[in-house]
Structure formats: C-alpha cells, structure tokens
C-alpha cells in the first residue's frame, strides 16, 4: 500500500511512473516470495491454506493495481483517479494475511507450550535420572568407603581389643597397601613382637622357676644334711658327756681308793 501511495504521489510523468512502478513490482515480488516460503515451512494446514488464499488474492490485487496504474496515467496522473481505481482491493489480502498471522501466532503459542511441556517432561526425566545416578554413585561410594575404610578400621579395632585382652594368638590379614593397610601391617608387626616378648618372658620365667626348684631342692638337701650332722654332733656330744662322766666317776673312785689306801696305810703304821 505504501509503495502504491509513492507511485501516486511521486509520479508526474511516464518516466517517473515507470521508476516508481518498478519499485512497486519489486516490493510485490518480495512479498509474494516471502509468503510462498512461509507457506512451505509452516505445518499448520489451516494457516497454510490461508497463505495460499492470500497469494491468490495478492496476485489478483496485483492485476488490479496494474489497471489502477493505467487509469492513473490516463487521467493525467491525477492522484484521486488512481486512488479511486484501486479502492478497497487490498482488503481481502490484508484480512487473509491477518487471519494467517493470528493463526500462526496461536499455533506458535500452542507449539511453544507443547515444547515447554515436553522440555519440562524431559527436564523432570533428566532430574530423576540424575537423582537415580547420584543415588547409585553415592551407594557405590558408600560401598567403597565401607570396604576400604570402615571395615578395615573395624577389623583393626577388634584386633586391638583382642590384643588388649592378652590374646596374642589371633592373626590379621593385610588387604591393601594404603594408609589403613600400613596401619594394619604395623599393628600385626606389633602383635608379633609382643608375642615374641611374651614367649621369651615365659621361657625365662620357666627357666627361673626350674632354677628356683633346683635351688630349693639343694637347700632342702643341705638342710637335711645339716640336720643329720647336727644330730650326729648331738650324739657325739652325748657320748662324750657319758665318757666324761665315766672318766670322772673312775677318777672319783680312784681318788677314794687312794684315800682308802692312804687311810689303811696310816692305820697299819
């Protein structure tokens, strides 16, 4: 419509009319090409039908504009004559284009809503999948931590408590070479060293007990011998006392005999 107004207002002779008309035709061709391209791209059948009807009406309107151009030139380039020749001819194409535009907007809105709903469903599915994957990953991590950290620490704790009760016969398997494995290996080495120390102390205690028993037996034997010797000495002392008593008695008897002999001699004299 604007190009047609330019044709009417700025055309004063045949040359200027031809120049303006060529621009009008160019614009009309551009509109037709864009409408044809749009009709081939959209998927809504109703909108596609409206665009096809618009193209047909637009082509018919082009022919009427040619008639209006000729009437405008025949009237000596009178604007009113040219305007009257095409009056109302753009109403049908404009209405068809407006209907097609409204229908395409509606279709686009519905399509956008469907795409949003689909995107929301996909997003919800993705979030659920991510949640499931995260849960599985956490479960795997928990199993790894349980297997590589918590379980070995629990075994090491039970092993330590067993050692604390004095039971050095239990053994522990080193399952890894990480820090926890090194800790378990050090505890196992500590247990082995403690077992060696306890074994050596037990052997030393047994040796000491054996030596003590031997010393005790020797002391008992010595005591027995001492008692026997003391008894023998007592017997010897008793015998000596008896002999001393006998000798004294004999001496006393001898002394009495001497006295008696002396007395007898004295009487005899």
């Amino acid at each position: 419509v604007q190009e047609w107004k330019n044709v009417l207002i700025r055309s004063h002779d045949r040359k200027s009319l031809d120049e303006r008309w060529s621009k009008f035709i160019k614009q009309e061709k551009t509109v037709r090409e864009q409408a044809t391209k749009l009709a081939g791209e959209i998927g809504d059948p109703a909108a596609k039908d409206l665009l096809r009807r618009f193209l047909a009406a637009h082509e018919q309107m082009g022919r009427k504009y040619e008639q209006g151009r000729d009437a405008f030139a025949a009237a000596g380039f009178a604007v009113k004559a040219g305007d009257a020749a095409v009056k109302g001819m753009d109403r049908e194409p404009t209405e068809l284009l407006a209907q097609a535009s409204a229908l395409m907007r509606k279709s686009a809105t519905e399509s956008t809503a469907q795409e949003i709903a689909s995107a929301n469903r996909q997003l919800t599915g993705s979030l659920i999948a991510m949640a499931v994957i995260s849960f599985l990953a956490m479960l795997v991590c928990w199993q790894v931590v349980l297997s590589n950290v918590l379980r070995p620490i629990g075994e090491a704790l039970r092993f330590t408590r067993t050692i604390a009760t004095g039971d050095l016969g239990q053994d522990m398997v080193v399952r890894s070479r990480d820090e926890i494995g090194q800790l378990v290996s050090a505890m196992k080495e500590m247990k082995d060293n403690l077992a060696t120390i306890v074994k050596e102390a037990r052997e030393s205690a047994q040796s000491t007990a054996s030596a003590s028993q031997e010393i005790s037996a020797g002391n008992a034997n010595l005591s027995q011998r001492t008692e026997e010797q003391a008894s023998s000495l007592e017997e010897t002392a008793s015998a000596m006392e008896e002999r001393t008593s006998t000798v004294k008695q004999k001496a006393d008897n001898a002394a009495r005999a001497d006295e008696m002999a002396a007395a007898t001699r004295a009487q005899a004299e």
Side-chain angles (χ1 to χ4, degrees):
V1 176
Q2 184 61 42
E3 287 297 331
W4 174 250
K5 290 182 178 179
N6 290 333
V7 169
L8 296 180
I9 295 173
R10 299 181 181 182
S11 299
H12 305 290
D13 52 26
R14 193 67 194 185
K15 182 179 179 181
S16 59
L17 177 62
D18 292 338
E19 291 178 358
R20 295 299 172 186
W21 182 254
S22 63
K23 292 182 179 181
F24 177 84
I25 294 299
K26 184 178 180 181
Q27 182 65 27
E28 188 180 49
K29 182 179 179 182
T30 300
V31 172
R32 188 179 296 110
E33 289 176 351
Q34 291 178 352
T36 302
K37 182 179 179 182
L38 184 61
E41 292 177 352
I42 62 174
D44 189 352
K48 188 186 291 290
D49 181 66
L50 287 172
L51 284 174
R52 288 173 179 171
R53 290 168 59 190
F54 164 78
L55 287 171
H58 186 267
E59 184 178 358
Q60 184 178 1
M61 183 182 67
R63 290 194 294 268
K64 290 183 177 179
Y65 270 118
E66 288 180 1
Q67 295 175 2
R69 179 201 60 183
D70 295 340
F72 171 65
F77 305 102
V79 174
K80 291 184 179 181
D83 195 19
V86 298
K87 185 177 180 179
M89 70 175 57
D90 59 344
R91 184 177 302 157
E92 183 181 1
T94 302
E95 290 178 354
L96 290 172
L97 187 60
Q99 292 176 12
S101 177
L103 192 58
M104 284 188 292
R105 281 198 300 270
K106 180 181 178 182
S107 178
T109 301
E110 293 176 352
S111 177
T112 302
Q114 292 177 357
E115 290 179 358
I116 291 174
S118 177
N120 288 334
R121 288 192 297 270
Q122 292 179 359
L123 179 60
T124 302
S126 299
L127 291 175
I128 293 174
M130 290 177 62
V132 172
I133 293 172
S134 300
F135 175 76
L136 293 176
M138 290 176 63
L139 185 61
V140 171
C141 291
W142 169 250
Q143 290 295 329
V144 171
V145 170
L146 180 63
S147 176
N148 296 334
V149 179
L150 297 181
R151 188 172 295 151
I153 290 177
E155 292 178 355
L157 181 60
R158 289 190 294 272
F159 184 65
T160 305
R161 288 175 176 171
T162 302
I163 295 175
T165 60
D167 184 4
L168 300 177
Q170 298 293 328
D171 199 5
M172 188 170 185
V173 180
V174 180
R175 305 181 187 277
S176 64
R177 296 183 179 179
D178 55 9
E179 289 76 3
I180 296 177
Q182 294 175 10
L183 174 63
V184 173
S185 179
M187 293 177 65
K188 185 176 183 296
E189 184 177 356
M190 179 191 71
K191 188 270 296 182
D192 293 338
N193 292 335
L194 284 174
T196 301
I197 293 172
V198 170
K199 181 180 178 182
E200 292 176 354
R202 185 176 297 152
E203 291 176 352
S204 177
Q206 290 176 352
S207 299
T208 303
S210 178
S212 297
Q213 289 177 356
E214 292 177 358
I215 292 172
S216 178
N219 289 335
N221 189 17
L222 180 61
S223 177
Q224 183 179 0
R225 289 180 182 180
T226 301
E227 289 178 356
E228 291 177 353
Q229 290 178 0
S231 178
S232 178
L233 287 174
E234 287 178 357
E235 292 177 356
T236 302
S238 177
M240 288 181 68
E241 286 179 357
E242 289 179 358
R243 289 178 182 178
T244 300
S245 177
T246 302
V247 171
K248 183 178 179 182
Q249 186 178 3
K250 287 180 178 182
D252 290 341
N253 291 334
R256 289 192 194 100
D258 287 340
E259 289 177 356
M260 289 176 68
T264 303
R265 281 194 303 266
Q267 289 176 0
E269 292 178 354

